Amino acid sequence: MWSGKKVTNMFFWNLMIKKDDIILSFIERVRKLIYATDRQIQKVKREMAKRPLEGVGKDLYLLLNAPSLKTQDISVLKGKTMMFVNRGFMHPLYKELQPQYHVFVDSKMLKGIWPISWLDKIWEISPNTTIILPISWYTNPLFRSYRNNKNIYWLNYSLPFYNLGVSGSCFSFAIQQEFKKVYFTGFDATGIGHEMIKTADSHFYGNDKELENKPTTQFVIDLLMHSRHLHDLNRLAIWCQKKGYKFINITNGGLLDMFPRENILPVSYTHLRAHETDSYL
C-alpha cells in the first residue's frame, strides 16, 4: 500500500517530466519552423521524398554498438537488410556483411571530434552502403562536397519524441521507408553507467576516447539526458503499439524492457580482439 507521501512524490516527479516534455516539444517546433524557411533544406526534403520506398515488405536489422554485441554471432544476418551506426564500421564483420545503411547524427562530426573522412572509410569497406545524415547538416559547409552524393540520404526526423539519439533516427527512417519489422540489437542502454564506474567497456569496440575523464558537471547533464532517453523510449514503445509498428528487441540482455523481445541471434562469448578495431580509433 502506497503512503500519501509516496503518491505525492510520484506526482511531483511525473509533473517534472511532463514539464520537460512541454519545453522540449516547444523547442523542436521552433526548430522545425526555422527549417521550414530554409529553401535549401526544403528542396532536398522534396528530393528525398521522391526516392522510392525501400522497406515495403522487408524486415530491417538494426545493429547498435553496446558491449553485448560482442556476445552475439551477427554473421547469421548476412544477406539481410542491415543498418549500423556511428563507429559500427569498426566491427570486424562489417565488410563481410555489407550493410545497406549506416547512420550518423551525433554533433561530434560537426565539431571535428569525429572525422568526416569516416564517410569515405565506410564506402571503402562497403561501397553500396547508404549513409543517413540529418537533413539539417545539408547546408553545413563541411558537407558541401557530399551534397550530390546519391549514396547519402538526408533524413528529415519525423518522430514525436526528441531524446532518442541515433536510435531515434534509425527508427524514424525505418517508419518512413515502411519496413515491416525492425529487429534491433546492441542496445544495452547502460553506457553511462560504464562510463561512470570505469569497470567495463561502454561499446563493443571499447570506450570512446573523447568521453574519458569527464567532470561530474558533465555527468549531471549526461544523467539527465539518459533519463530523458529512457522516458522517450517508453513513450515510443506505447506509440508504436498504437500505430502498429513492430520494433523487436533482440539484444542479449540490456536494460530495455519496453519492447517485445525475441532470441534469434546465436550467443557467442568469443570477444572481439582489441587490435581488430584499434586502427580506426
Side-chain angles (χ1 to χ4, degrees), residues 19-30 160 162:
K19 177 260 297 179
D20 288 346
D21 290 343
I22 294 170
I23 292 172
L24 290 169
S25 179
F26 174 76
I27 292 171
E28 289 302 321
R29 288 181 182 181
V30 171
Y162 311 110

Side-chain angles (χ1 to χ4, degrees), residues 146-175:
Y146 294 96
R147 287 176 185 168
N148 297 319
N149 191 313
K150 299 303 181 183
N151 277 2
I152 290 181
Y153 186 93
W154 302 96
L155 177 67
N156 180 42
Y157 187 87
S158 59
L159 294 179
F161 316 107
Y162 311 110
N163 294 98
L164 296 172
V166 69
S167 65
S169 292
C170 298
F171 294 149
S172 181
F173 177 82
I175 290 172

Side-chain angles (χ1 to χ4, degrees), residues 208-263:
D208 292 337
K209 302 299 182 184
E210 68 271 13
L211 300 181
E212 293 179 352
N213 302 315
K214 284 184 183 179
T216 53
T217 50
Q218 183 60 50
F219 277 121
V220 170
I221 297 171
D222 291 350
L223 287 168
L224 177 59
M225 291 174 64
H226 189 63
S227 173
R228 295 293 313 171
H229 184 58
L230 293 176
H231 172 60
D232 274 1
L233 283 169
N234 276 285
R235 292 204 296 164
L236 173 66
I238 294 169
W239 183 78
C240 286
Q241 189 173 22
K242 290 179 179 177
K243 296 284 187 178
Y245 300 131
K246 305 294 184 182
F247 290 174
I248 301 164
N249 186 1
I250 58 172
T251 303
N252 182 26
L255 187 62
L256 304 189
D257 59 1
M258 64 286 292
F259 296 100
R261 282 183 177 267
E262 291 185 18
N263 296 315

Side-chain angles (χ1 to χ4, degrees), residues 169-206:
S169 292
C170 298
F171 294 149
S172 181
F173 177 82
I175 290 172
Q176 290 176 24
Q177 297 298 312
E178 299 186 6
F179 280 93
K180 183 173 61 174
K181 292 181 181 178
V182 178
Y183 295 91
F184 64 87
T185 187
F187 202 164
D188 294 8
T190 57
I192 182 66
H194 294 313
E195 287 180 24
M196 292 180 72
I197 61 178
K198 296 180 172 63
T199 57
D201 294 338
S202 59
H203 298 82
F204 77 82
Y205 50 78

Side-chain angles (χ1 to χ4, degrees), residues 4-22:
K5 185 176 181 180
K6 287 183 178 178
V7 172
T8 300
N9 285 342
M10 183 63 71
F11 174 78
F12 172 78
W13 289 114
N14 284 336
L15 186 64
M16 294 294 286
I17 292 170
K18 186 64 178 178
K19 177 260 297 179
D20 288 346
D21 290 343
I22 294 170

Side-chain angles (χ1 to χ4, degrees), residues 31-168:
R31 185 178 299 176
K32 286 181 179 180
L33 284 173
I34 294 171
Y35 293 154
T37 63
D38 190 307
R39 292 184 179 180
Q40 279 187 293
I41 288 180
Q42 291 307 306
K43 179 183 177 182
V44 74
K45 182 179 176 181
R46 290 191 295 269
E47 290 174 357
M48 295 299 104
K50 291 178 183 177
R51 292 192 183 186
L53 297 175
E54 299 183 3
V56 179
K58 299 178 182 177
D59 294 337
L60 177 67
Y61 292 83
L62 167 60
L63 292 92
L64 298 158
N65 295 335
S68 68
L69 201 63
K70 294 187 292 185
T71 71
Q72 292 180 301
D73 179 9
I74 63 172
S75 66
V76 299
L77 296 179
K78 188 174 182 178
K80 305 287 188 183
T81 303
M82 282 174 287
M83 174 183 284
F84 280 72
V85 305
N86 298 342
R87 282 185 165 102
F89 66 92
M90 297 176 182
H91 197 286
L93 290 178
Y94 193 90
K95 185 173 184 177
E96 178 183 338
L97 295 174
Q98 296 288 297
Q100 282 75 11
Y101 307 107
H102 196 110
V103 182
F104 289 105
V105 299
D106 199 305
S107 62
K108 295 187 189 75
M109 188 162 279
L110 298 181
K111 298 173 182 176
I113 299 172
W114 290 357
I116 293 179
S117 61
W118 279 359
L119 306 186
D120 299 297
K121 172 60 71 175
I122 287 170
W123 288 320
E124 180 184 322
I125 302 169
S126 182
N128 296 318
T129 295
T130 295
I131 295 179
I132 300 169
L133 303 175
I135 198 169
S136 60
W137 290 8
Y138 182 82
T139 55
N140 192 300
L142 291 171
F143 295 93
R144 184 177 288 113
S145 62
Y146 294 96
R147 287 176 185 168
N148 297 319
N149 191 313
K150 299 303 181 183
N151 277 2
I152 290 181
Y153 186 93
W154 302 96
L155 177 67
N156 180 42
Y157 187 87
S158 59
L159 294 179
F161 316 107
Y162 311 110
N163 294 98
L164 296 172
V166 69
S167 65

